[in-house]
Amino acid sequence: MTMMLNKDAREDLMERGYSRRQIAEVAALVGAGVAASSLLGGAAQAQQQAARGVAGAVRIGSNECWTGPFPSGVDAAAKAAALGNWYDPDNYRGDLVKTVASVEGIPESHVMLWPGSGGPLVSTVAAFCSPTKGLVTADPTFESAWRTADYLKAPIAKAPQAPGAGHDVKAMLAANPNAGLYYICTPNNPTGTVTPLADIEWLLANKPKDSVLLVDEAYIHFSEAPSAAKLVAGRKDLVVMRTFSKLFGMAGVRLGLTFADPELQKRIMLFGPTAGGLSITAMACGNAVYPEAALIKARREEMIANRQETIAWLTKKGIDVQTGSQANMFMMDWKKPAKEMQAAMLATPEKVQIGRNWPIWPTVSRVTVGSAEDMAKFRAAVEKIYTA
């Protein structure tokens, strides 16, 4: 399996202290499709199973968008499909890179396309963590980075995040002042809270010079918070990651982005596939929807209205909801085992599939914000099962 990694990748791993056996394990991870649940263990498989839609259910458990791509994207993808006999007939990749760079105000050289965002997250952990250079995250946050670091035998440090707050960057640095990778998810999954740009800049200024900061902005379009993308130009220690899976409603289309200095992009690419795995339909759809500022704003406002209405109802009913979410999710505290309440919600006549809990908060469920109809059914199901 080591042949799945090229010579540069193998030498990079050896310089970071990996043994030949460990290099073979990294190669297996990359060769199996980067985020392969079969390699990352039972927790990954359990999460994948939980994310699968239940037939006939109200699907508000996996932070998917309640609707699909904007009409312009659907039309563009359909036109591209008619040219599917060609690998890239009209420079779809170049057009998408140019569009993204223009919207974000960053150099085209700093934009890399990926088939989704799960792959580049795993590849970034593989690129900058090692048995001696660990990973630092908040807790709770998106666990894929944890599982990958654990697989790679890299130390993992978690800084507890207060309910309703962003990442505590000072606590993150204190948790491991000599880490290889610091990971900030903002808006955070599962809390939806934003880490202020000033805090991100503080961590950049105070972390070790040879470490890298990864800012995961999968949910940034649901928020009006400023992006860290503007910080990548001129830096060789910052990666900003995006996905089309959330507000753009393209989870099944598989399209993601990383913004970083070309040297960093090259390092990440050593450990995972990039645009070679992208379809022209995905790139055509992405190119059409990314500049749709008015439609993005309207979809964001629709989500916010649905979220606010539901949170107000839950609060009136006496159910604690964590404050501060700026994404299409919120955390509600049942004051009883969340796994049991998740099962009870699915068993109601409304058949509502809500999200899971994180070990740090065993009584708290993540709920995805869906359509107005979805959230009405959610409230009806809660009415049936909840007793204070």
Side-chain angles (χ1 to χ4, degrees), residues 106-344:
I106 60 177
E108 292 181 29
S109 61
H110 285 52
V111 178
M112 182 60 63
L113 310 182
W114 298 80
S117 61
L121 175 53
V122 171
S123 296
T124 303
V125 175
F128 302 110
C129 291
S130 71
T132 58
K133 288 286 187 178
L135 169 74
V136 179
T137 78
D139 187 12
T141 195
F142 186 52
E143 302 107 321
S144 181
W146 295 345
R147 290 192 297 269
T148 306
D150 182 64
Y151 178 87
L152 298 173
K153 307 297 189 296
I156 303 169
K158 304 175 184 178
Q161 178 169 302
H167 291 18
D168 185 340
V169 294
K170 293 183 179 180
M172 289 177 65
L173 183 59
N176 184 347
N178 194 35
L181 183 69
Y182 295 86
Y183 172 65
I184 290 178
C185 186
T186 179
N188 187 35
N189 178 13
T191 63
T193 52
V194 167
T195 299
L197 192 59
D199 288 354
I200 293 172
E201 291 175 316
W202 182 92
L203 187 55
L204 278 170
N206 289 277
K207 69 172 183 60
K209 298 300 182 183
D210 62 347
S211 69
V212 170
L213 173 61
L214 172 61
V215 180
D216 183 346
E217 294 185 339
Y219 300 91
I220 195 69
H221 290 96
F222 282 118
S223 170
E224 294 183 345
S227 167
K230 69 178 185 180
L231 304 177
V232 299
R235 299 202 70 104
K236 295 187 178 182
D237 60 352
L238 173 64
V239 179
V240 176
M241 189 167 66
R242 297 280 185 85
T243 183
F244 286 78
S245 296
K246 307 308 175 183
L247 182 140
F248 291 109
M250 294 169 57
V253 179
R254 310 311 302 142
L255 185 60
L257 302 164
T258 51
F259 307 148
D261 181 90
E263 289 186 18
L264 280 184
Q265 300 279 25
K266 183 178 179 181
R267 177 90 175 263
I268 297 168
M269 285 189 291
L270 289 174
F271 303 98
T274 57
L278 288 172
S279 70
I280 59 173
T281 51
M283 291 186 285
C285 186
N287 189 49
V289 301
Y290 208 77
E292 294 274 24
L295 294 178
I296 292 169
K297 182 175 184 290
R299 186 169 286 185
R300 178 170 61 241
E301 290 177 347
E302 181 180 355
M303 183 281 297
I304 291 172
N306 295 343
R307 186 185 67 207
Q308 289 178 338
E309 180 182 15
T310 300
I311 290 176
W313 182 88
L314 291 168
T315 301
K316 185 176 181 181
K317 193 170 177 64
I319 300 176
D320 289 343
V321 178
Q322 293 183 5
T323 60
S325 175
Q326 295 187 39
N328 65 326
M329 69 195 93
F330 58 85
M331 303 293 280
M332 60 178 294
D333 192 346
W334 301 99
K335 306 297 185 184
K336 57 188 71 176
K339 288 184 179 179
E340 295 177 8
M341 303 308 290
Q342 181 185 32

Side-chain angles (χ1 to χ4, degrees), residues 27-45 48 118-119 122 144 147-148 151:
L29 183 69
V30 174
V34 184
S37 61
S38 60
L39 293 178
L40 293 183
Q45 295 180 48
Q48 187 180 57
V122 171
S144 181
R147 290 192 297 269
T148 306
Y151 178 87

